[in-house]
Amino acid sequence: MQFAPAEPRRVAVVIEASNAYARGLLAGIHRHVREHEPWTIFLPEHGRGFPPLEPLARWQGDGMIARIETAAIARTLAALRRRRPLAIIDVSAARLLDDVPYVETDDAAIARLAAEHFIERDFRHFAYLGDDRFRWSDNRRDAFAAAAAGAGRTVAIFKAPKQGGLRPAADDERIEAWLRALPKPVGLLACYDIRGRQALDACRRVGISVPDEVAVLGVDNDELLCGLSSPPLSSVIPDAVGAGRLAAKLLEEMMRGGRLDREEWLLPPLGIATRQSTDVLAIDDELVVAAVRHIREHACDGIKVADVVRALATNRRTLESRFSRRVGHTPHEIGRAHV
């Protein structure tokens, strides 16, 4: 006797694909589905925070994985749940539906890793460039400030006027003024890579040297965005794929009638992809900073220590002595590292 195969579960995935973290979530969900029971997936195309609410409100299915980042999304999903049982996993830190289990990055762990990255490079001053539209940005800000203060570092936090919607171009001018006023050298954590690139662009416009004066670290490790930045942007690597797989696994359990043992799952970051925007030691000796910059700019030209001495109008003994004291390496060793 043959049995008809069970109908695949109907799952809505309300996650935009506009950034690397979101695409990682989608990749993780795809891996789970490929390795387990197939789903019939409803994937509405939309920008961040703006899914098509009318089709979503009419949708009928068994489960949903969503980034619930706006009150409108939360209201739509709450109405769906009132009409019929619906398993939901949230993959946002906004927590707009308190009784929905959620899977997110561990923002405190991201902030601590970023602080350690700057401490290892001997920065005494820290800065944070956030985006107050998102709760996870505030979480990272608070944890970064706590980690910095715990290590005896000062922290400057960018404060933008309260505003809804997308960031206006006027934000660029405020960031430029803020960067000019920061004590130098400073290690700057941007809440995500888009904000990190904005900081790099602002530094270039106002003539601030990166990474010698301002070292910039993003979050998400969007390899295309980081690679196209000038200089290439260092970035914390979140476990986006792991978060997507875990969200799918938990949703599968809920759709089978299982009960989850808690509502919060936080995944630590995988590490830091170090690129040129933080590839520096914080140095308060102007001669050594100028020498490192000159070596970096001419490393592929067969530059020698004598060339650096001549360009900076100093003598070799002074340069090597101050290099050893501030950097722990000779100019020759630094030059080989940048070839």
Side-chain angles (χ1 to χ4, degrees):
M1 183 175 182
Q2 293 184 338
F3 295 92
E7 183 179 343
R9 298 188 189 277
R10 294 161 298 171
V11 175
V13 179
V14 187
I15 301 171
E16 86 301 331
S18 63
N19 59 64
Y21 183 77
R23 292 190 292 273
L25 289 173
L26 293 171
I29 294 168
H30 173 252
R31 288 188 188 182
H32 175 87
V33 174
R34 188 179 60 198
E35 296 166 2
H36 298 82
E37 294 182 12
W39 294 347
T40 298
I41 293 181
F42 171 53
L43 183 64
E45 184 178 353
H46 65 282
R48 180 154 198 171
F50 301 99
L53 295 180
E54 288 188 16
L56 190 61
R58 295 193 301 267
W59 174 80
Q60 294 186 3
D62 305 298
M64 180 181 298
I65 300 173
R67 281 183 108 172
I68 309 173
E69 292 191 317
T70 70
I73 298 174
R75 285 193 299 269
T76 300
L77 300 196
L80 278 173
R81 289 202 301 167
R82 284 195 295 270
R83 290 205 303 267
R84 56 168 293 175
L86 179 65
I88 301 176
I89 297 291
D90 190 4
V91 286
S92 167
R95 305 304 298 129
L96 297 179
L97 287 177
D98 292 337
D99 59 339
V100 171
Y102 76 105
V103 177
E104 246 289 345
T105 55
D106 188 334
D107 293 317
I110 286 174
R112 288 194 297 269
L113 186 63
E116 291 168 5
H117 186 71
F118 290 130
I119 290 169
E120 289 172 358
R121 285 153 180 75
D122 203 29
F123 282 92
R124 303 301 306 175
H125 304 292
F126 287 5
Y128 183 77
L129 178 59
D131 188 333
D132 58 18
R133 294 175 298 166
F134 303 113
R135 181 172 174 177
W136 48 261
S137 174
D138 294 344
N139 293 343
R140 292 172 189 178
R141 175 199 64 204
D142 295 344
F144 186 63
R153 268 61 173 178
T154 62
V155 187
I157 296 172
F158 177 75
K159 296 177 181 176
K162 290 291 183 181
Q163 53 202 355
L166 299 177
R167 290 289 179 194
D171 225 20
D172 289 339
E173 295 180 3
R174 298 187 188 98
I175 291 172
E176 290 171 8
W178 178 68
L179 288 169
R180 284 196 195 96
L182 291 176
K184 312 289 191 307
V186 61
L188 186 154
L189 173 62
C191 62
Y192 60 157
D193 290 338
I194 293 173
R195 216 49 165 156
R197 179 164 181 164
Q198 194 174 10
L200 292 177
D201 291 344
C203 285
R204 185 173 62 253
R205 286 193 300 269
V206 300
I208 294 174
S209 176
V210 177
D212 302 305
E213 295 179 279
V214 178
V216 181
L217 176 65
V219 181
D220 281 349
N221 195 38
D222 185 323
E223 293 190 2
L224 183 60
L225 185 64
C226 293
L228 290 174
S229 298
S230 181
L233 177 66
S234 297
S235 188
V236 179
I237 310 168
D239 191 2
V241 173
R245 292 185 75 165
L246 177 57
K249 176 178 179 291
L250 296 175
L251 182 67
E252 189 78 63
E253 291 180 18
M254 292 177 68
M255 291 189 298
R256 290 177 177 176
R259 294 180 62 86
L260 304 183
D261 59 2
R262 63 185 190 274
E263 287 192 349
E264 176 186 84
W265 281 262
L266 300 179
L267 277 69
L270 300 176
I272 291 179
T274 301
R275 301 183 180 89
Q276 191 177 336
S277 70
T278 63
D279 186 17
V280 71
L281 288 171
I283 306 167
D284 58 5
D285 187 315
E286 292 184 4
L287 176 67
V288 177
V289 169
V292 171
R293 187 180 302 136
H294 190 79
I295 291 169
R296 185 183 295 123
E297 291 172 353
H298 299 279
C300 296
D301 300 336
I303 190 172
K304 296 180 172 57
V305 177
D307 300 320
V308 181
V309 169
R310 197 161 40 246
L312 300 182
T314 185
N315 62 74
R316 183 166 186 147
R317 182 174 180 178
T318 297
L319 180 63
E320 291 186 337
S321 173
R322 288 165 69 167
F323 241 88
S324 297
R325 189 163 61 249
R326 293 286 191 270
V327 182
H329 298 283
T330 67
H332 178 68
E333 290 169 335
I334 294 293
R336 290 182 61 187
H338 282 88
V339 172

